[in-house]
Amino acid sequence: MANPTSKQRLTKAERKEEARRQRVELQRKMARSRRNRKVAFGLVAVLVAGVAAFALTRPQEAQATPADLLAAADQATETAGCGPVEDVGSYQPKSQDRAHIVASLPLSTYASVPPASGPHNPIPYPAGVYTTPPPIDRVIHSLEHGAAIVWYAPDVSGTELDRIRTFYEGSNVGSRVIVAPYDYPDQGAAGTLPAGTQMALVAWHNVQKCANVNLAAAFGFTSSYAAPPFGQRPYKGKAPEAGSAF
């Protein structure tokens, strides 16, 4: 009786041809794989070279100079949506406007948001660029000595804020300026900047609120309201101990 599977068996010649066909197909696949790797390596090399060339040849952003910023300050103040510099007056009662205290008072008791004068810690706060909110009772003492403050909302980020931080790290422009986020959530409404305000510029009894952060607008304020002012600019501030150390 014949084996029913005998028709499915390959002859020796057929098996040899099938093996040859599989070898050819395998060689084709290997060749394609080598070509694909060469193309991929070539693309990577071109990409790396292009990135390197761009990094070496792209124009670098020029660091803003004080003169450039002052020339642009008026326009920047308008562009940033800054209001006028307001004289917010003294703490009430006025006799406590410069009082030294041990325990800090609620921010809601001060004459403005952010505060621009009032009872404060006996130790002033150093000038500098800060990423966390400083103790505001010490900052107020710095205002009394002629500091100017660039407050910004804690949710602000981006290139312009980076420019502000970088600029005021320079000792020639930042030695009398404090840059910091205004964020005191335990103080209620007085612990955050007013609605629509991303930047508040503060000196003793003076506050200027801006809808957006802007370096030229900030320097336009601090160059005149910090004591001593920048360069030969007249001092516009009212600090009772202007020029004292902090």
Side-chain angles (χ1 to χ4, degrees):
M1 183 174 180
N3 189 336
T5 64
S6 61
K7 293 182 179 179
Q8 300 176 4
R9 293 175 180 172
L10 299 176
T11 65
K12 182 177 180 180
E14 288 173 335
R15 290 197 300 272
K16 186 176 180 180
E17 176 60 23
E18 177 62 19
R20 186 194 67 78
R21 188 190 63 77
Q22 291 180 359
R23 285 196 303 273
V24 171
E25 182 62 25
L26 178 60
Q27 289 171 352
R28 288 175 179 170
K29 289 181 178 179
M30 292 174 65
R32 283 199 300 269
S33 178
R34 286 193 294 270
R35 286 196 301 271
N36 290 341
R37 285 198 298 271
K38 288 180 180 179
V39 171
F41 290 149
L43 290 174
V44 170
V46 170
L47 180 61
V48 170
V51 170
F54 175 75
L56 291 172
T57 60
R58 66 174 178 175
Q60 299 296 315
E61 180 181 356
Q63 178 69 36
T65 66
D68 291 339
L69 294 175
L70 291 176
D74 289 343
Q75 180 60 50
T77 297
E78 181 177 344
T79 301
C82 301
V85 177
E86 301 177 63
D87 183 340
V88 297
S90 65
Y91 184 88
Q92 297 299 319
K94 189 174 181 179
S95 60
Q96 295 297 303
D97 200 34
R98 298 176 58 191
H100 286 185
I101 56 175
V102 176
S104 59
L105 299 175
L107 294 182
S108 58
T109 65
Y110 288 81
S112 64
V113 178
S117 69
H120 50 264
N121 191 289
I123 303 173
Y125 203 70
V129 177
Y130 300 94
T131 57
T132 57
I136 203 161
D137 57 338
R138 291 183 62 189
V139 168
I140 295 172
H141 195 162
S142 300
L143 290 176
E144 184 184 36
H145 287 194
I149 308 175
V150 179
W151 292 113
Y152 60 89
D155 59 347
V156 172
S157 61
T159 301
E160 196 64 18
L161 180 59
D162 292 341
R163 292 180 71 221
I164 289 174
R165 288 171 171 163
T166 299
F167 180 77
Y168 282 107
E169 286 173 350
S171 59
N172 63 322
V173 294
S175 63
R176 307 293 291 179
V177 179
I178 294 170
V179 178
Y182 189 81
D183 187 27
Y184 304 90
D186 61 329
Q187 295 293 313
T192 59
L193 294 180
T197 300
Q198 288 191 349
M199 180 174 74
L201 309 170
V202 180
W204 187 264
H205 286 186
N206 290 297
V207 177
Q208 184 176 31
K209 290 174 282 191
C210 303
N212 299 292
V213 294
N214 185 284
L215 173 55
F219 188 54
F221 179 91
T222 64
S223 62
S224 293
Y225 284 89
F230 177 77
Q232 302 301 313
R233 295 176 70 78
Y235 177 55
K236 295 182 178 180
K238 303 176 180 179
E241 297 180 33
S244 297
F246 61 86

